[in-house]
Amino acid sequence: MKASRIAAAGAVAGAAVLAVSTPCFAHVSVQPEGEAAKGGYAVVGFKVPNERDNASTTKVEVTFPTDHPLASVMPQPVDGWDIKVTKSRLAKPLEMHGKKIDEAVSKVTWTAKGDGIQPGFFQKFPVSVGTLPEDTDELVFKALQTYSNKEVVRWIEVPQDGQEEPDNPAPVLALSAPAEDGHGHGAAADDKASGDTENTSAQTSAAADDDGSGGTDTTARVLGVVGIVVGAAGVAYGVLAGRRRTA
């Protein structure tokens, strides 16, 4: 009986922990592919999980920040989804590649052609964005998630430092420091690859020299041993021949 009570209590505690922790993993989020460096471009993915057991997600609307507008926003096509890009006029025009831009993308909407995101699944929606602002450490994207039963979940609460995560947090994209060489990790990877190639070549050359030197030494030693053996055989033959003559 005692063991049964302990097991039951453990099961209840586990279920309670699971119930509390599940929402933390179920909200709409945004993550870059690699890094999102200030002043550069990045491909970011909006991850949308389905939280309901009896309905599918049929529409996702993501609002782009107006305090730090992005001049370039290009969604990647997603099978089974229609994409609508909404632009709005800017109060203060942006300058990009020497040209002034007076409007920017304010919202991207994905609408399912079929069943959408079914229970137990999630979907990623990739978007290329840039140039990323240099005067902030993060960008906040507010999102609306619509289900097949007409329910709408508003992921619009902005998380605050030092406070608990809200029930419906908005997706937040953390920005990294700008790349000093303008090439980001690609240049570093190329430099590392070049260095590795040079090191490998040097090691291969050194190994070849060592092998060649080692082969020469071995050959010389073998010839020396053969010479000694032949010489000893000659001396022995001479001694035996002298004894025969004396006899």
Side-chain angles (χ1 to χ4, degrees), residues 39-66:
Y41 288 79
V43 174
V44 300
F46 293 94
K47 182 180 178 181
V48 182
N50 192 343
E51 293 184 306
R52 302 294 180 262
D53 295 331
N54 58 353
S56 298
T57 297
T58 56
K59 183 193 291 186
V60 177
E61 302 170 74
V62 175
T63 300
F64 283 69
T66 56

Side-chain angles (χ1 to χ4, degrees), residues 156-182:
I156 61 174
E157 300 178 58
V158 181
Q160 302 295 329
D161 293 337
Q163 298 183 11
E164 293 184 0
E165 185 178 65
D167 293 334
N168 296 302
V172 178
L173 175 66
L175 303 181
S176 60
E180 296 180 358
D181 56 6

Side-chain angles (χ1 to χ4, degrees), residues 41-46 64 70-76 125-130 132:
Y41 288 79
V43 174
V44 300
F46 293 94
F64 283 69
L70 301 171
S72 176
V73 175
M74 294 186 293
Q76 178 178 319
F125 301 94
V127 182
S128 173
V129 296
L132 297 173

Side-chain angles (χ1 to χ4, degrees), residues 124-138:
K124 279 189 177 182
F125 301 94
V127 182
S128 173
V129 296
T131 56
L132 297 173
E134 300 184 36
D135 57 349
T136 184
D137 294 327
E138 63 183 24

Side-chain angles (χ1 to χ4, degrees), residues 23-203:
C24 297
F25 296 96
H27 56 70
V28 175
S29 61
V30 59
Q31 290 293 334
E33 294 182 4
E35 288 188 355
K38 298 177 181 179
Y41 288 79
V43 174
V44 300
F46 293 94
K47 182 180 178 181
V48 182
N50 192 343
E51 293 184 306
R52 302 294 180 262
D53 295 331
N54 58 353
S56 298
T57 297
T58 56
K59 183 193 291 186
V60 177
E61 302 170 74
V62 175
T63 300
F64 283 69
T66 56
D67 54 343
H68 294 95
L70 301 171
S72 176
V73 175
M74 294 186 293
Q76 178 178 319
V78 179
D79 290 341
W81 294 81
D82 287 325
I83 304 175
K84 179 182 178 182
V85 177
T86 303
K87 294 184 178 182
S88 300
R89 188 167 295 276
L90 300 174
K92 183 179 179 181
L94 297 175
E95 186 171 340
M96 182 177 181
H97 303 304
K99 297 181 179 180
K100 287 188 177 181
I101 299 174
D102 58 2
E103 65 177 10
V105 172
S106 56
K107 183 170 66 173
V108 177
T109 304
W110 291 268
T111 304
K113 298 178 183 179
D115 295 333
I117 309 171
Q118 299 185 42
F121 292 87
F122 73 91
Q123 177 69 54
K124 279 189 177 182
F125 301 94
V127 182
S128 173
V129 296
T131 56
L132 297 173
E134 300 184 36
D135 57 349
T136 184
D137 294 327
E138 63 183 24
L139 292 176
V140 177
F141 300 85
K142 296 183 179 182
L144 301 182
Q145 181 177 9
T146 302
Y147 287 91
S148 56
N149 60 3
K150 307 304 179 182
E151 178 189 3
V152 178
V153 180
R154 301 167 62 84
W155 303 99
I156 61 174
E157 300 178 58
V158 181
Q160 302 295 329
D161 293 337
Q163 298 183 11
E164 293 184 0
E165 185 178 65
D167 293 334
N168 296 302
V172 178
L173 175 66
L175 303 181
S176 60
E180 296 180 358
D181 56 6
H183 297 289
H185 291 288
D190 292 342
D191 292 341
K192 183 178 183 300
S194 176
D196 291 345
T197 302
E198 292 176 358
N199 291 336
T200 302
S201 299
Q203 292 173 1

